[in-house]
Each structure stands twice: as C-alpha cells, then as structure tokens.
Amino acid sequence: MSIFAVALSLILPMNLFGCADETPQKPQAVTPYAIKNFVNFVTNIQTPITVDSGAEIEAGYIIYEHLKDEYKNNKDVQGQKEILDDYKAQYEVIKAEQDRLDAEAEQAAARSRFEKAVERIPGEDKLTVGDKTAIAAAYALYEKLDAASRDVASVKSAYAKLQAADKKVRELEEEARLAAIKQKADEFVNGVDELTEDDITLASKSAIEDLQYLYDKLPDEAKEYDSVIEAKQKLDAAAEEYKALKDESDVKEFLKLIKALPSSEDITLDHGRDIVAIETLYENMSEEAKSVDGVAEAHKKLVAARNKYDELFAEAEKIKIQEFIEAANAVPLDIENVDITWFDVLNNASEKYWALSYASQSLPEVLEAVKRWDAAQTAFDKKGYKRIPMTNPGMALSGDNPPHLVLQLHENMLKPILNFYGVATLAELDNHAVLVLNVYVDGTLTGKADIAFASLINEGHILPNTAIVNALKALSATNDKIVSGSNFSFSLSVRDKNNEHIPSAETAVSASKNTYTW
C-alpha cells in the first residue's frame, strides 16, 4: 500500500470520531483521534531524512490539511507541524543536492556518449559522403550538453574533430554533386556529337527529341558550361535542319495524297479513311509548311472532300438508324419464351446497333429501340446461350468504323523485342515470339489467346477488332464465361517460342517467362 493510501486510511477515521465528539456527553480530557493520528504519523517518520523521505513528508502534509481548524491550533499539533516543516526543509536541501548530482552524472554520461560518437567517425582521409548520418547524430548528442560540459577540454577537442569531419563531408558532397552535373553535361554533349557526325535525316527525329528532353533536364549550372552551350547550338541547328526536311516531306506527301484524292463529286464513303489520314497530316504540318505555294489551294480540295463525305455519311447514317430500329422492333415481345432460336434476330439488332456512330446511338429514337432489343438480349444471355458479338466485344473502342482496339505498344513493348531479334517487321517477329491476348471478364482473367504480330497495324499501334473477335470466338468454344453481355477487358503479354524470358524489363512492360496451358 502506498504512503498516500496510508494517509487517506488515517484521515477517514477522523471524520467518524469527529461525529462521535458531537454527541452530547460528559466532558472528558480525551485527545481526539485525529490529533493523535497526525502526531503519531509525524513521530514515526523515518530519520535521518533522506532523498527517499519525500513521500512520507508529503503524506504528513495531506493528513494535516484534513484536520479541523480547531485541531490545527492544538499545541501538540503545532509542535509536530514545526517538526514536519523542519523535515521538509531538510528534504529539500537533500533533494536539491541529489538532483545536482544526478544532473552531473547525466551530463557526464552525455559527454561520454558524444565523445564516443565522434571517436567512431573516420579520419578525414577515410571519410565518405555516407558518414553524413553519423556526423548528424553526433551533432544531436552535442546539443544535449550544457554550457559547462561544452567547456570541458575533451568535449572541445571532440567537437573540433566533428566540425572538421562535417566540413570534409560537405566538400565531398559538393564534389559528388559537381561530378554528377559534369556527367550529365558530358552525356548531352556526346549525344549531340554522335547525332551531328552524320547527316540529319527524317530518321533523326527521335534522337533530336531525346536530346532536347535531356537538355531540359540538365541543372542550370550544366547549361552554363561552354561545351553544353556549344552543343545546344549544334542541336538547335540540327532541329532546324530536321524541321526543314520534315516540312519538305510533309508538303510533298500532302500534295501527293491530295492529287490522288478524287474530286468532291466522286467522293464515296470508302474514302473516309483517306480523308482522315490527309487531315491528320495537314494538322501536324508546321505553319511554314502550310504556307508553301500550292498547299492552301490543295487544302480547299480536302475541305470539299470532307464536306461531301459528311453529307454522304449523314445520309447513310439515316439509313442505318432506320435499319437498327426495324431490327430492334423485329425482336419478339414474349421475352419469357426466349431461347436459342432468337439468336439471329438478336444478332442482327446487335450488328445494326454497333454499326451506328456514337452520336446516332445517343438519339432518342435509337435509345427507345435499344430498350426493346436490350431487354431481350439480357434475357437471352441469362439463359447461358453462347454468342460473341460480331462487331463489338464490349471493349473500349477507338470510335472508328469498324471499331478496333487502340494500343500503346510500339515503343515500350514491340520495338525492344524487334531490336533483340534483329528483325525489322512484325511479320518476321512471328517467327521468334508470340503475342498473347489476355481476356478478362468482369475484371477476372478468364482466358488467353495467341495473336499474330502481323495482325497489328500502324506499326503495332492498333489491334483490329476482327483479331479480338476471332480470339473470343475460339475461346468461347471451351469457356462458358466467354458469352455476349459480358464486360470484356484486355491486356497483352509476349513470350518466345520456347517460353523463355524476353528481355524487355528495361521498358515500360516487363515480359517475364510464361507457360500457357490451352
């Protein structure tokens, strides 16, 4: 039991005896219990007073504070109170001295920790930038020393060594920083020299852009180097030379394509892709190229062809809208009786819907027809009948007609693999590796299908819709989860013919070893 608990246990009976004193009775010369309790408690405090006497003395004051005022005036109480005060005065002197000794001991220990921390720091000839952490830790220990400790000779000596080590490490850091800047500068300068040692051609685009990016990332200090300033001037000249070549090539290609484009009177819907390709080329031409003689006049022909195509497209879209509405209205209303024989009518509505442009799909009359078709299609799918849509496997499409999946593969996946095998075309790559289409249904990997590299178009940027649909149709033969109405998503991976690792780890896609079971 603590001394405070003892004090409280001694206080409680005072109140009980106090109540007994209030009961009328014959006067007696009896000392109240509360007075006796206080007197006895002070008498029993261990002497001589030590640093451990604080709790007893404090308990004595607690008992005293709970006495009635009339009891505090008792001569015995007053006498013991004077003794208690004397004990307290002795204790405070002893405690102060002990605190001083404790503080001195703590400072002695702190000095020892600081000096040992400095001793562990290597000499200046062996210091490295990695010693920065140890130096910071030693500084932190020094901050805990008081003025007297910092004035000790051994501490002064250790602190001087610490400051010297700190200065040396800062110098090493600066040397390392300058060396890193020099390395980046040399990389840029060497890259420009390599670029300009041969003639600039249209194939120089990537190298020029890479060097421009590298220059932008250089520290300002590096950009002040004479070698970098000179290399930047050479790079700017190379970029201007490339731009002139690009403008010349773009103008020639633009005029060539315009010449091959029929006049607006002869434009048909089959010319849609040609028009888009020429428009894209024109949009990417510089203002200088657009101002070359003959380009503005040729562009008028392009605008006329676009207007004619849009008129034809709008007329054809009206027909497609009506065909979809008729196909949707042909779907029976007795959905409760849906079975496999409904396939043709549902598939027809599906093909007609996905043949529409996005704008047409949002028209009120189309949305109304979709309700009828979609309700029957949902019931058909819930029956578990397999059907892969012929034009839209539920994926994010490019918006072109016919739709296709747009990929970002050439630079980060295909180019490194082409370089590794030393081939120039995707068709040649099919002799060495396999492109794998990973199919996910509602976010869960459900199947894998081999896709020929040669099926990719536009330098591997596009995987046509037909390749995906054919893969889904093949997988659906053995996989019950590949059905219409599913939420499909896709990813691609690559493996070689022997299922061995393909070295593309340094690119944005890591094609690790995979073995597939079909």
Side-chain angles (χ1 to χ4, degrees):
M1 181 180 295
S2 69
I3 194 70
F4 295 101
V6 172
L8 290 176
S9 69
L10 295 174
I11 291 169
L12 292 176
M14 296 181 197
N15 297 327
L16 296 176
F17 279 86
C19 293
D21 290 345
E22 293 173 3
T23 303
Q25 50 183 283
K26 184 177 180 179
Q28 299 181 28
V30 178
T31 302
Y33 174 81
I35 292 175
K36 291 180 179 180
N37 180 51
F38 174 70
V39 171
N40 290 337
F41 187 85
V42 175
T43 300
N44 290 326
I45 291 177
Q46 295 292 319
T47 56
I49 299 302
T50 68
V51 73
D52 297 323
S53 301
E56 281 190 295
I57 294 172
E58 184 65 24
Y61 278 105
I62 292 174
I63 297 173
Y64 177 81
E65 290 301 325
H66 283 80
L67 291 177
K68 296 179 180 179
D69 290 341
E70 60 186 275
Y71 291 169
K72 290 180 180 179
N73 294 327
N74 181 277
K75 65 178 182 178
D76 292 335
V77 170
Q78 291 179 350
Q80 292 299 90
K81 175 63 164 53
E82 291 177 1
I83 294 174
L84 183 62
D85 291 340
D86 179 61
Y87 287 168
K88 181 179 180 182
Q90 294 180 49
Y91 170 76
E92 289 176 347
V93 172
I94 295 171
K95 181 65 165 61
E97 177 63 14
Q98 185 62 48
D99 289 345
R100 184 186 67 79
L101 294 174
D102 290 344
E104 287 185 356
E106 174 57 31
Q107 278 296 302
R111 290 195 298 272
S112 177
R113 288 193 293 270
F114 169 69
E115 292 171 4
K116 289 180 179 178
V118 175
E119 287 176 7
R120 289 193 290 269
I121 296 175
E124 288 191 33
D125 58 333
K126 295 183 179 180
L127 280 170
T128 67
V129 174
D131 293 312
K132 182 179 179 179
T133 301
I135 291 173
Y139 270 122
L141 292 174
Y142 182 78
E143 290 300 319
K144 296 179 180 180
L145 301 180
D146 59 20
S149 290
R150 295 181 184 184
D151 199 41
V152 173
S154 59
V155 172
K156 286 183 176 181
S157 177
Y159 187 63
K161 178 184 175 182
L162 177 61
Q163 288 181 308
D166 186 24
K167 180 181 178 182
K168 180 63 176 179
V169 167
R170 290 179 187 276
E171 291 173 354
L172 294 173
E173 277 189 310
E174 180 63 10
E175 291 174 5
R177 187 183 73 84
L178 293 176
I181 292 175
K182 181 65 165 55
Q183 181 180 359
K184 291 180 182 295
D186 289 345
E187 182 182 351
F188 171 72
V189 171
N190 293 336
V192 173
D193 288 342
E194 184 178 345
L195 169 70
T196 55
E197 67 182 3
D198 297 320
D199 293 336
I200 300 299
T201 67
L202 290 176
S204 303
K205 177 183 179 181
S206 294
I208 291 174
E209 291 178 344
D210 289 345
L211 287 168
Q212 288 172 331
Y213 176 81
L214 183 59
Y215 178 81
D216 290 339
K217 294 299 182 182
L218 285 178
D220 291 339
E221 290 171 90
K223 293 179 180 179
E224 295 176 0
Y225 291 175
D226 290 340
S227 59
V228 171
I229 293 174
E230 182 181 351
K232 180 60 165 59
Q233 292 172 346
K234 292 169 65 176
L235 177 61
D236 290 343
E240 286 298 319
E241 187 176 350
Y242 167 79
K243 181 178 180 299
L245 292 173
K246 180 69 164 55
D247 286 348
E248 181 182 354
S249 174
D250 286 347
V251 169
K252 184 183 295 185
E253 181 67 14
F254 178 71
L255 294 178
K256 173 185 174 183
L257 293 176
I258 288 295
K259 184 178 180 180
L261 189 68
S263 61
S264 59
E265 296 80 7
D266 297 324
I267 289 295
T268 68
L269 289 175
D270 293 334
H271 294 107
R273 288 186 178 276
D274 296 334
I275 292 173
V276 170
I278 301 173
E279 287 175 334
T280 301
L281 173 60
Y282 181 79
E283 289 170 2
N284 291 327
M285 288 171 61
S286 69
E287 293 303 316
E288 290 81 0
K290 291 177 182 178
S291 65
V292 172
D293 290 342
V295 173
E297 190 64 28
H299 184 253
K300 292 179 181 179
K301 182 179 179 181
L302 176 62
V303 172
R306 162 55 71 182
N307 291 336
K308 179 62 175 180
Y309 176 83
D310 288 346
E311 291 177 7
L312 295 175
F313 183 85
E315 293 175 3
E317 198 68 10
K318 289 180 182 178
I319 296 173
K320 290 180 180 180
I321 290 172
Q322 189 56 40
E323 287 177 345
F324 167 68
I325 292 175
E326 292 176 357
N329 288 339
V331 175
L333 294 175
D334 55 335
I335 296 176
E336 65 278 2
N337 295 322
V338 65
D339 58 29
I340 193 63
T341 62
W342 288 39
F343 172 83
D344 288 338
V345 66
L346 291 173
N347 188 64
N348 184 49
S350 174
E351 291 182 352
K352 294 293 189 294
Y353 176 77
W354 294 112
L356 298 176
S357 67
Y358 287 151
S360 296
Q361 290 175 1
S362 302
L363 293 173
E365 60 269 31
V366 172
L367 293 174
E368 185 63 31
V370 165
K371 292 180 182 179
R372 178 188 183 106
W373 157 59
D374 189 56
Q377 181 66 62
T378 300
F380 183 87
D381 294 337
K382 287 183 177 179
K383 290 280 188 176
Y385 301 125
K386 290 184 182 180
R387 185 179 70 82
I388 303 302
M390 296 303 294
T391 55
N392 179 58
M395 58 186 169
L397 301 172
S398 66
D400 292 339
N401 188 15
H404 54 257
L405 186 61
V406 176
L407 311 172
Q408 301 294 336
L409 291 176
H410 188 63
E411 290 297 324
N412 64 9
M413 178 187 284
L414 299 180
K415 190 174 180 179
I417 299 174
L418 286 166
N419 293 339
F420 175 73
Y421 287 113
V423 297
T425 67
L426 295 175
E428 292 176 285
L429 190 57
D430 277 322
N431 296 323
H432 302 280
V434 177
L435 182 64
V436 180
L437 178 70
N438 304 298
V439 180
Y440 300 81
V441 175
D442 295 327
T444 301
L445 182 62
T446 304
K448 298 174 182 287
D450 284 355
I451 301 290
F453 280 101
S455 65
L456 298 176
I457 59 177
N458 192 17
E459 294 187 334
H461 183 60
I462 292 175
L463 179 60
N465 178 56
T466 53
I468 297 178
V469 171
N470 290 338
L472 290 177
K473 291 171 71 174
L475 289 172
S476 69
T478 57
N479 195 316
D480 292 336
K481 293 183 179 179
I482 308 290
V483 296
S484 62
S486 298
N487 181 20
F488 292 100
S489 58
F490 307 90
S491 67
L492 291 172
S493 56
V494 179
R495 60 180 171 83
D496 73 0
K497 297 293 186 177
N498 298 318
N499 287 326
E500 294 179 354
H501 177 73
I502 295 176
S504 59
E506 67 276 6
T507 68
V509 174
S510 178
S512 58
K513 178 178 179 181
N514 289 290
T515 302
Y516 304 113
T517 301
W518 304 99

